[in-house]
Amino acid sequence: MNAIAFALRSFGRELRSGEVMVLLAAIALAVGVLTAVGFLTDRIGKAVARQANEVLAADLRLRSQVPIPDTWRTTAEEYGLQTAETQTFPSVVFAGDLSALATIKAVSDNYPLRGAVRISDTLFGEQRVVEGVPRRGEVWADGALLARIDADVGDEIMVGGSDMLVSAVLTYRPDQSIGFASLAPSLLVNIADIPATGLIGEGSRVGYALLVAGDDAAISGFNEAIQDQLPDSVRASNREESSERAYNAADRAQRFLSLTAVISLLLSAVAVAMSARRFAHRRMDTVALMKSLGATQGFVITVAVLQLMMIGVLGVIAGSSIGFAAEEVLSWILSDIIAADLPDSGPMPVILASGSALVLLVGFALPALLQLRNTPPLRVLRHDMMPPAPSRLLVTGLSLAAVAALLYRSVGDARMLVILLGGIIVIAAALYLVGRGLVALMGRFRSGVGVAWRYGLANVARRGRSSAVQVVAFGLGLTVLLLLTIVRTDLLEGWRKTIDEDAPNHFMINIQPHELDSVAAIFDTAGVATPEFVPLVRARMSTINGESVKTRSYPDPGGSWLANREANLSWTATLSASNEIVAGEWWPADYAGPPLASIEEEAASDTGLAIGDRIVFVIAGRELEVTIASMRSINWDSFKPNFFIVLSPGALDDMPMTYISSMRLEEEQQSMLINLVRTHPSISVIDIDAILQQIRGIIEKASLAVQAVFVFTLAAGVAVLFAAVQSTIDERRFESALLRALGARKRTVFAGVMAEFAVLGIAAGLLASAGASILAAIVAVQLFELPYEFNPLLWLAGLVAGVLLVCVSGFVAARGAINASPIEVLRTA
């Protein structure tokens, strides 16, 4: 008979046999999990990335010192992208006899392409989101600007040669800067009004920008196409360069989503491996019968491979349906996170998930199928006759090659692949050794215990290699679940610590020394704690170790920018709470020696500076030489005044300086700012509360995404536990029937099986805790740049989870075998 026809004819009977259903379910679950995770990681990743893009008000921003050429807009339109334009420049605005410097932000109709502008009807009033831009002849003014010129909503102010109506208070725009260079408050103007103001003429210092937004592929294509048209003076910015805080949150979320996809794939691989092992074992009797009737090895293998592929196709169809359904449900649940206008993921998640499952199936089932061809026909009469086992190197090599290829295709991150796969291999080897040791111990310690425990321990010892394999399966499942739990907890906790609820939400800049007492008096009168005033001196590097900063070579391009830009210096006797010394030593509080400096570690790396190097600064025409004494790591997310370079006390005496400060003001306290900016018009107050809300929004969405995807990985972990139990279900069914036929009560048999699972769970849980602790420390530090603290409760959690999950999985999977009729089981044995 033709092998194809026989495979098709017997496939229906194989499906009803039971063991094929286990493998089919494992594949379907693998595809379902990978499909759902693929859809979610893609959609949520796009949502988080779009949120991060709000700091640019676009997906891509091109900044230039000359007007934007029409060809750039035309090229963007050819790629189907949205565009908007901005013009930014400083100017003095007038309201009667009062005037103030403002940063004019002229915007076109589509601004902003990402994010939203917020305005208020009164100074420091309730904010609301607004669509569009100011109408012709109207402006939206920053509250600080209105306070300086004693104006309010409804008043007219003079902008250049035009009188314009203040129609709202500008409280937030997504691309506003919080840097110390943003000294002047903003004035949002319709770009069509600029020609009438006469403010832009030949030689005017204006920053022009083209904002672009759209599909990721189109953005990438446009960015590549436009590069040849861009002069060196034009800077293209994406979200990775726009806001370190926002991007860090988005990047960590993307990394975690990738990590969950990898772990889901690993768990699916273990589940398929366990199911494929049982699939091949159960087919040995059928193959022996076929051979005794004259079937050739080629015929046997062809039938087995064809049926395996049919199982794979059915699993892919069922799993894809599960994945689609799960994605729809979760998209509805997470509708506040996933924007409706995001492009669909397309079929790629299904294609990748299906391909991954089929590769896993071949990688783990093919070695077992190769063993089938050597099944002796004598097995028809003697069930103890086993075919020679295939080379372990072949089995391990094919399996690892399949997993490694799929992991790299899914993640594309070689470092993550090496850390995870290397760690899993080491842990699996340790689990196997522990399993073999456990088998040897159980043979010695099973005396002196009750009947149920004696039966359970005897099962562990008798099964030998199978018990060790089960420990590996249970342990790997628990390890990756504990790992993901630890990383998820550390990630969420790290995000919570990133933005403290008491973080400053206002900066004060350009405070003159003679204003310190009067500013402090305003805070005292308002009943608000006076903030700390930090000195700031503007300087430029001249030489490093006697070499000009202009001609010096730097390890990183950013180093040249840091060395040649105007720097903000400060001095302090005590180390800030948001700083930590990583090299060298901090000076004593009463230090009075030659000027010393402490530099931020990344700045030192980019500029090639080391402890002991000498830097000469030029400050107001005077030179100051300092020696680097230490390097610091800085928590920039603290939103407190921090500096790349801090000097020792006395180093900046007699230098022209101003002061800056940060403070937290509750909504009811913000009215004091009106008095502050009116009595001290030179001081700039920057409200960063909207920035904090934006970053908190990114973190909140990323956190929900992390927790949603985590549920799917838990499902994959449970599948591994069930597959491990199912791998020995036939033996348990026969043993249970035999014991009950000999007079054992069902309760005793069941208690013995639970005792066996409890022992396996204890061993797997303890070693999984150790493996997860080590692996989590590496993953947290190397992949997420998060601090890791060892938690002894993890061992207790691992032990409890091991016993509980393994016993529950064993109970659900094995109760059918224990409850089976002894007569029916023994008749078919």
Side-chain angles (χ1 to χ4, degrees):
M1 179 182 291
N2 182 277
I4 298 177
F6 181 81
L8 292 173
R9 179 179 299 178
S10 61
F11 185 64
R13 184 174 62 255
E14 295 288 347
L15 282 178
R16 293 190 298 270
S17 64
E19 70 273 5
V20 174
M21 295 301 297
V22 176
L23 183 58
L24 180 62
I27 297 169
L29 181 60
V31 175
V33 170
L34 292 175
T35 300
V37 169
F39 277 122
L40 282 175
T41 52
D42 182 81
R43 299 279 287 168
I44 295 175
K46 288 177 180 177
V48 173
R50 177 172 292 187
Q51 179 78 3
N53 286 351
E54 290 185 13
V55 297
L56 292 176
D59 294 329
L60 181 68
R61 180 177 65 191
L62 302 176
R63 290 189 292 184
S64 173
Q65 298 303 313
V66 298
I68 302 298
D70 291 336
T71 54
W72 297 4
R73 288 187 293 271
T74 302
T75 303
E77 291 172 359
E78 291 174 355
Y79 280 88
L81 299 171
Q82 292 180 294
T83 61
E85 289 186 52
T86 67
Q87 298 171 0
T88 308
F89 55 91
S91 181
V92 176
V93 299
F94 297 85
D97 295 331
L98 299 178
S99 63
L101 181 66
T103 298
I104 308 296
K105 185 79 171 182
V107 296
S108 63
D109 289 339
N110 289 335
Y111 174 90
L113 299 179
R114 294 285 182 254
V117 174
R118 289 198 283 269
I119 61 174
S120 175
D121 294 327
T122 59
L123 281 174
F124 303 107
E126 184 176 351
Q127 303 179 48
R128 71 176 190 276
V129 174
V130 63
E131 295 183 1
V133 298
R135 290 180 292 189
R136 294 286 301 272
E138 297 182 0
V139 296
W140 296 339
D142 189 292
L145 176 62
L146 295 178
R148 290 181 185 182
I149 58 178
D150 196 19
D152 208 337
V153 175
D155 294 342
E156 285 193 347
I157 62 175
M158 180 174 287
V159 183
S162 300
D163 290 329
M164 308 188 79
L165 176 68
V166 179
S167 58
V169 178
L170 176 65
T171 59
Y172 171 74
R173 56 183 175 84
D175 57 345
Q176 68 187 36
S177 172
I178 62 172
F180 295 147
S182 305
L183 299 180
S186 298
L187 186 73
L188 203 65
V189 184
N190 193 307
I191 201 169
D193 284 329
I194 294 301
T197 65
L199 292 174
I200 297 181
E202 188 174 352
S204 298
R205 295 188 60 184
V206 182
Y208 298 89
L210 176 67
L211 307 181
V212 182
D215 180 72
D216 289 345
I219 288 289
S220 298
F222 167 75
N223 196 17
E224 293 178 6
I226 201 73
Q227 290 302 314
D228 294 337
Q229 304 178 33
L230 299 181
D232 295 337
S233 60
V234 174
R235 183 179 179 185
S237 301
N238 57 22
R239 69 177 182 273
E240 291 141 2
E241 302 167 330
S242 57
S243 169
E244 183 177 357
R245 296 178 183 91
Y247 178 69
N248 281 344
D251 181 58
R252 285 175 177 175
Q254 292 278 43
R255 280 180 175 269
F256 186 87
L257 295 177
S258 297
L259 181 66
T260 56
V262 170
I263 289 179
S264 296
L265 186 60
L266 284 171
L267 290 171
S268 299
V270 176
V272 170
M274 298 296 294
S275 301
R277 179 170 173 266
R278 180 170 183 253
F279 169 76
H281 181 76
R282 286 294 302 272
R283 287 189 59 83
M284 287 182 183
D285 291 339
T286 303
V287 170
L289 180 61
M290 292 170 61
K291 280 191 169 185
S292 67
L293 296 176
T296 63
Q297 286 188 355
F299 183 87
V300 169
I301 293 299
T302 301
V303 170
V305 170
L306 285 174
Q307 291 184 346
L308 187 69
M309 290 299 101
M310 285 188 281
I311 293 172
V313 171
L314 286 179
V316 165
I317 294 173
S320 299
S321 302
I322 294 172
F324 271 116
E327 193 270 338
E328 287 295 325
V329 172
L330 279 169
S331 294
W332 176 76
I333 294 174
L334 304 177
S335 57
D336 290 339
I337 300 175
I338 304 176
D341 60 339
L342 281 176
D344 291 331
S345 302
M348 190 53 64
V350 178
I351 294 174
L352 290 177
S354 303
S356 298
L358 292 177
V359 171
L360 286 178
L361 186 62
V362 172
F364 285 101
L366 188 58
L369 289 180
L370 293 176
Q371 186 181 13
L372 287 178
R373 66 178 181 175
N374 297 320
T375 302
L378 187 59
R379 184 178 169 83
V380 173
L381 300 176
R382 292 183 56 187
H383 290 286
D384 59 337
M385 294 293 295
M386 297 290 292
S391 168
R392 292 189 178 183
L393 181 63
L394 173 64
V395 175
T396 305
L398 285 174
S399 302
L400 291 181
V403 172
L406 290 175
L407 288 178
Y408 187 77
R409 178 63 185 85
S410 299
V411 181
D413 188 332
R415 186 169 61 161
M416 181 183 288
L417 175 62
V418 170
I419 291 173
L420 284 179
L421 194 55
I424 292 299
I425 291 173
V426 171
I427 293 170
L431 284 166
Y432 185 77
L433 292 176
V434 169
R436 298 299 288 182
L438 185 67
V439 169
L441 287 175
M442 291 305 100
R444 299 178 182 180
F445 293 105
R446 64 189 184 190
S447 61
V449 293
V451 175
W453 278 99
R454 187 160 59 250
Y455 170 58
L457 297 179
N459 281 347
V460 174
R462 185 176 63 258
R463 289 194 171 89
R465 184 172 176 273
S466 295
S467 294
V469 170
Q470 283 190 311
V471 170
V472 173
F474 291 143
L476 284 181
L478 291 170
T479 296
V480 293
L481 289 179
L482 287 173
L483 166 66
L484 208 57
T485 302
I486 295 169
V487 175
R488 167 183 167 272
T489 302
D490 287 349
L491 189 61
L492 297 178
E493 184 63 27
W495 277 337
R496 281 192 288 268
K497 291 180 179 178
T498 294
I499 305 297
D500 189 2
E501 290 298 324
D502 296 326
N505 58 3
H506 287 80
F507 275 111
M508 287 192 298
I509 300 175
N510 202 33
I511 307 170
Q512 300 301 317
H514 67 272
E515 295 178 309
L516 294 177
D517 291 339
S518 56
V519 170
I522 292 175
F523 277 86
D524 186 60
T525 302
V528 179
T530 303
E532 177 186 3
F533 299 107
V534 181
L536 182 148
V537 173
R538 306 286 285 177
R540 280 192 177 274
M541 281 191 197
S542 174
T543 64
I544 297 176
N545 294 329
E547 185 179 358
S548 172
V549 296
K550 296 185 181 296
T551 59
R552 189 173 185 269
S553 59
Y554 300 92
D556 188 272
S560 176
W561 175 78
L562 283 169
N564 287 277
R565 75 183 184 102
E566 192 171 23
N568 296 315
L569 303 180
S570 185
W571 65 266
T572 181
T574 57
L575 184 66
S576 170
S578 58
N579 289 226
E580 180 181 354
I581 297 295
V582 295
E585 294 183 358
W586 186 258
W587 43 78
D590 58 350
Y591 180 80
L596 299 178
S598 179
I599 185 170
E600 193 269 339
E601 58 178 339
E602 290 189 14
S605 175
D606 291 346
T607 53
L609 290 168
I611 293 176
D613 286 350
R614 294 171 289 105
I615 306 174
V616 174
F617 289 100
V618 177
I619 306 172
R622 299 159 58 185
E623 290 190 347
L624 173 67
E625 182 176 277
V626 301
T627 302
I628 297 178
S630 64
M631 296 183 186
R632 295 164 294 127
S633 64
I634 300 177
N635 177 19
W636 297 103
D637 294 331
S638 66
F639 284 90
K640 295 179 180 178
N642 279 301
F643 301 85
F644 284 110
I645 298 177
V646 175
L647 306 186
S648 57
L652 298 174
D653 287 354
D654 302 324
M655 295 292 181
M657 68 177 62
T658 60
Y659 287 82
I660 64 173
S661 185
S662 65
M663 64 280 187
R664 179 165 187 82
L665 296 177
E666 303 303 330
E667 187 174 349
E668 63 273 9
Q669 297 173 326
Q670 295 184 7
S671 58
M672 63 164 287
L673 296 176
I674 299 176
N675 183 35
L676 177 65
V677 297
R678 283 177 176 170
T679 57
H680 300 80
S682 64
I683 297 177
S684 293
V685 179
I686 302 176
D687 183 355
I688 63 170
D689 200 49
I691 301 293
L692 291 171
Q693 291 180 15
Q694 180 192 35
I695 297 174
R696 285 193 182 104
I698 295 174
I699 291 175
E700 180 183 353
K701 293 178 181 181
S703 300
L704 288 173
V706 162
Q707 296 183 67
V709 176
F710 181 70
V711 173
F712 287 94
T713 311
L714 285 176
V718 172
V720 170
L721 301 180
F722 270 92
V725 175
Q726 287 286 346
S727 66
T728 58
I729 203 70
D730 296 322
E731 297 175 43
R732 299 183 190 283
R733 182 181 292 109
F734 179 77
E735 291 170 359
S736 173
L738 187 60
L739 288 172
R740 291 175 62 192
L742 294 175
R745 292 185 300 175
K746 184 190 299 184
R747 181 185 303 174
T748 303
V749 176
F750 180 77
V753 172
M754 290 298 100
E756 177 188 353
F757 285 134
V759 171
L760 296 177
I762 291 172
L766 286 177
L767 200 58
S769 300
S773 297
I774 298 172
L775 202 53
I778 298 173
V779 168
V781 174
Q782 296 295 325
L783 299 183
F784 294 95
E785 298 178 356
L786 292 171
Y788 176 76
E789 297 181 2
F790 173 75
N791 186 355
L793 291 178
L794 171 68
W795 290 75
L796 178 60
L799 181 61
V800 172
V803 175
L804 187 62
L805 289 177
V806 173
C807 285
V808 169
S809 300
F811 169 74
V812 174
R815 64 176 180 174
I818 297 173
N819 291 329
S821 171
I823 296 177
E824 293 181 3
V825 173
L826 295 175
R827 280 177 176 175
T828 57

